[in-house]
Amino acid sequence: RKEVTEEKGDPTGRVDFFDETRGFGFIKEKNSVNKFFFHKSNAEEGISEDHMVTFRLERGPKGMNAVDVKIIR
């Protein structure tokens, strides 16, 4: 598995909330008050609250969503 490190182009943040049963959560962007919704289908397996992550943003029906969510190791 490829190691993920912070890259300049991708936003980073912390998983602020994650509901494993319902399969969704929210990421609080680093150095910002912004929080973004993500679904577990768009996140690395094993993700949980307090993980530091990188992600990309895509516009969804209710605003910007985090996709391609990867744990920073």
Side-chain angles (χ1 to χ4, degrees), residues 55-72:
F55 56 96
R56 290 184 307 106
L57 292 172
E58 284 186 359
R59 184 161 304 284
K62 295 182 180 179
M64 298 304 283
N65 294 332
V67 298
D68 197 24
V69 180
K70 295 186 174 110
I71 300 166
I72 299 172

Side-chain angles (χ1 to χ4, degrees), residues 14-19 22-28 35-44 47-49 53 55-56 64-69:
R14 182 180 61 82
V15 178
D16 191 52
F17 169 82
F18 183 63
D19 185 327
R22 295 175 66 194
F24 74 91
F26 291 92
I27 296 169
K28 182 184 179 303
K35 289 187 182 180
F36 300 104
F37 172 88
F38 74 96
H39 188 268
K40 70 178 180 181
S41 64
N42 288 313
E44 183 177 343
I47 202 157
S48 63
E49 287 182 16
V53 295
F55 56 96
R56 290 184 307 106
M64 298 304 283
N65 294 332
V67 298
D68 197 24
V69 180

